[in-house]
Amino acid sequence: MNNKFQYFQFIKLTIASIFLLMLTGCATMYVDGTTKEIKASEYKVQQEKQAVMLVFEFQTKGVANAQATKYLKDKIVDQVKNSGIFSEVSLNPVAGNRVLSITLNNVPLSDDAFSKGFVTGLTFGLAGSSVSDGYVCTARYLGGDQQQPIVTQARHAIHTTLGAKGSPDNATKTANAEEAVTLMTRQIVSHVLFDMTQDAGFK
């Protein structure tokens, strides 16, 4: 029950289109198809891997979102560990003081999300509408002897349609909000990790 409660709280706090779900109950979520997942096998891995301290924060419009951070933190940690980039991924300081900070910021792309959902609700789903949530992922990596961090960034989106609105082009339909957020997160994080390993200063 507690995990279920945290899940719905996370969705409520991080995805603007949840208001549309509450009004109609017939929403469909799609993960934008522009940002495809980059497999870990494509990363440029150093011959001598180093340990790193991982710091993750989810933000909503640039403001720290503790519930969402807690929900996604383990998924991010597992993804970085499974990437094979580092010899060890820790939540505490490591030898060499290497730090990887990943921030995922949810920025609604449609300011009139509530009004669109209200129109759909009044017409009992006959007038379709859609809303999109944007996501910006930023990774900052600072090695032991680096003076400036390596900074990489990627963008993504989740689209929600209601009523008679057709599916968006170039997007993956998901069963629910949890699946949409999980897929989006894995894909966007894979991009910042890939770009980080391609940087000439990465070591």
Side-chain angles (χ1 to χ4, degrees), residues 184-201:
M184 177 280 299
T185 299
R186 187 172 70 248
Q187 292 177 336
I188 198 171
V189 170
S190 76
H191 277 258
V192 295
L193 293 178
F194 173 81
D195 291 342
M196 178 186 71
T197 64
Q198 302 303 306
D199 193 285

Side-chain angles (χ1 to χ4, degrees), residues 154-186:
R155 296 175 181 274
H156 214 329
I158 292 177
H159 311 292
T160 303
T161 64
L162 298 100
K165 185 74 174 181
S167 61
D169 295 332
N170 189 30
T172 301
K173 182 179 180 180
T174 58
N176 49 49
E178 180 180 11
E179 182 179 318
V181 172
T182 299
L183 176 59
M184 177 280 299
T185 299
R186 187 172 70 248

Side-chain angles (χ1 to χ4, degrees), residues 96-110:
N97 297 318
R98 290 174 175 79
V99 179
L100 171 60
S101 172
I102 297 178
T103 301
L104 184 56
N105 187 19
N106 173 212
V107 183
L109 300 178
S110 301

Side-chain angles (χ1 to χ4, degrees), residues 1-37:
M1 179 64 69
N2 186 48
N3 289 338
K4 191 173 183 180
F5 173 77
Q6 289 181 351
Y7 161 65
F8 282 111
Q9 284 297 310
F10 164 63
I11 298 302
K12 181 179 178 181
L13 291 169
T14 62
I15 304 179
S17 53
I18 191 63
F19 294 109
L20 308 182
L21 280 165
M22 293 168 64
L23 287 168
T24 65
C26 56
T28 304
M29 303 189 76
Y30 300 82
V31 176
D32 193 88
T34 303
T35 305
K36 301 291 187 181
E37 181 176 0

Side-chain angles (χ1 to χ4, degrees), residues 37-45 83 193-195 197-198:
E37 181 176 0
I38 300 177
K39 300 299 183 183
S41 59
E42 298 182 46
Y43 299 164
K44 183 179 179 181
V45 180
S83 70
L193 293 178
F194 173 81
D195 291 342
T197 64
Q198 302 303 306

Side-chain angles (χ1 to χ4, degrees), residues 74-94:
D74 287 345
K75 299 180 189 299
I76 301 294
V77 171
D78 287 343
Q79 185 170 355
V80 176
K81 284 182 177 180
N82 294 332
S83 70
I85 299 172
F86 303 100
S87 62
E88 176 189 354
V89 178
S90 174
L91 299 180
N92 301 306
V94 298

